[in-house]
Amino acid sequence: MLDAAAWALAAMVATMRDATGAPLADVLEADPARTAVLEAAGLVRREGAVLTPHPSLAYADEATARSAVEACLSSLRQAVAAAAQDPAGASGSGWADQDDAVLLHQGRASAMTGRALATRVVPALPGLADRLGAAGSRILDVGTGIAALALVLAQEFPRSEVVGIDTLQRALRLARAELAAAEPDVVGRVSLRHLDVADLAERAVYDLVWLPAPFLSEAALTAAVPRLTDALRPGGWIVVGTNPAAPDPLRQAVAGWNAVRNGGNSYDTDRMASRLTASGLVDTQRFPTVPGGPVLVAARRSRD
């Protein structure tokens, strides 16, 4: 059953990928054998000649669908690496041992988070949209990877400068290649730094900080939150990507294994929110993404 589930996931991802360039109904009709797998998995319902896809196959726009595909491909490639017991799978030494394809897939998937930040989260946080609409506003992207999220934020907030930091030089080289294909006006407002967030020394310079908490070790996260709090301008906001508590033993175990392999941590949404409050941040808010998916937690530095 587990082997069949892997193939069902492959059928789902391939269908989602094809549907970024053609209507989903046409994609389902074009490959009946693959669609039969989706039907058996409960992702497609057939009523006579009519195929009705599960909502998880349909996305509001092409950009979001592409990001979802990239996220799935990254997860699949990491699972294959773990199964083959290559250095990343055997020793759990983290992202440095993942190949470029994984870094690119994972990075491009983060564009979806960037769009959610810009269109859902920023407008809901008091005063933040006005801050980011002002000349001289600044955004910090922690663990920028290939800078996909940084690019989205630079596009959405044309008066803001976006600073992306990462500890992995290879990811930053990939990021520079990605930036080369972007619009000059956007690229000119994105800067990249080889920097560990634990070494961040800036104070009161950013209006928005993005922190993808699951990708940091617990020690790194503990060191990062006070530094990021200091780096915020009074009244500025930090938004943290978190994983909700897993609802069943299998997903709990998988989450723990992923945390070990990728050098991450086992914090869930509640624990991360408590960490932000303990650091003196206020007005904590939560923004669910997809059912069972990441939850974005926002908190503000006091104006005092």
Side-chain angles (χ1 to χ4, degrees):
M1 286 299 297
L2 288 173
D3 185 59
W7 283 95
L9 181 59
M12 183 190 79
V13 176
T15 299
M16 291 163 55
R17 179 202 61 211
D18 291 349
T20 61
L24 179 56
D26 294 348
V27 171
L28 294 172
E29 292 286 355
D31 195 334
R34 187 175 71 188
T35 298
V37 174
L38 300 180
E39 186 178 355
L43 290 169
V44 172
R45 187 175 73 253
R46 185 183 297 273
E47 296 178 0
V50 178
L51 297 173
T52 303
H54 188 274
S56 62
L57 290 176
Y59 287 84
D61 55 75
E62 182 178 326
T64 302
R66 288 189 183 279
S67 291
V69 169
E70 296 287 352
C72 289
L73 289 173
S74 173
S75 181
L76 282 169
R77 286 182 180 274
Q78 291 176 64
V80 169
Q85 292 192 335
D86 69 1
S91 67
S93 54
W95 293 100
D97 286 320
Q98 298 288 358
D99 63 26
D100 286 0
V102 170
L103 297 180
L104 288 167
H105 286 312
Q106 189 69 39
R108 289 168 182 162
S110 71
M112 179 165 51
T113 304
R115 286 188 290 274
L117 272 172
T119 61
R120 291 183 51 214
V121 179
V122 168
L125 298 177
L128 185 54
D130 289 339
R131 283 173 170 265
L132 297 181
S137 56
R138 301 186 79 205
I139 300 170
L140 178 64
D141 176 20
V142 177
T144 193
I146 67 165
L149 183 142
L151 272 173
V152 169
L153 295 181
Q155 290 165 351
E156 294 287 340
F157 303 108
R159 306 193 78 182
S160 294
E161 175 191 347
V162 183
V163 178
I165 63 172
D166 206 294
T167 59
L168 189 57
Q169 286 278 25
R170 183 160 55 91
L172 293 174
R173 286 197 295 272
L174 293 171
R176 292 185 181 96
E178 296 286 297
L179 292 177
E183 294 293 327
D185 173 63
V186 175
V187 174
R189 291 182 290 105
V190 177
S191 58
L192 303 176
R193 300 179 190 170
H194 181 234
L195 180 68
D196 190 321
V197 66
D199 297 325
L200 186 71
E202 294 171 295
R203 300 180 68 87
V205 294
Y206 295 104
D207 300 285
L208 170 64
V209 168
W210 163 250
L211 174 65
F215 297 108
L216 278 69
S217 69
E218 188 160 336
L221 197 59
T222 299
V225 172
R227 293 200 174 249
L228 294 174
T229 300
D230 288 343
L232 282 170
R233 289 171 172 157
W237 290 85
I238 182 171
V239 181
V240 184
T242 71
N243 291 325
D248 58 75
L250 177 59
R251 278 179 279 191
Q252 289 169 14
V254 169
W257 191 24
N258 274 329
V260 170
R261 289 186 66 254
N262 291 332
N265 64 81
S266 58
Y267 275 45
D268 61 21
T269 301
D270 289 341
R271 190 177 175 194
M272 191 67 236
S274 296
R275 171 68 69 178
L276 296 177
T277 301
S279 294
L281 295 165
V282 298
D283 298 340
T284 303
Q285 298 187 38
R286 303 185 187 202
F287 299 85
T289 54
V290 297
V295 177
L296 308 186
V297 179
R300 181 174 59 84
R301 181 176 177 180
S302 171
R303 293 182 181 276
D304 297 336

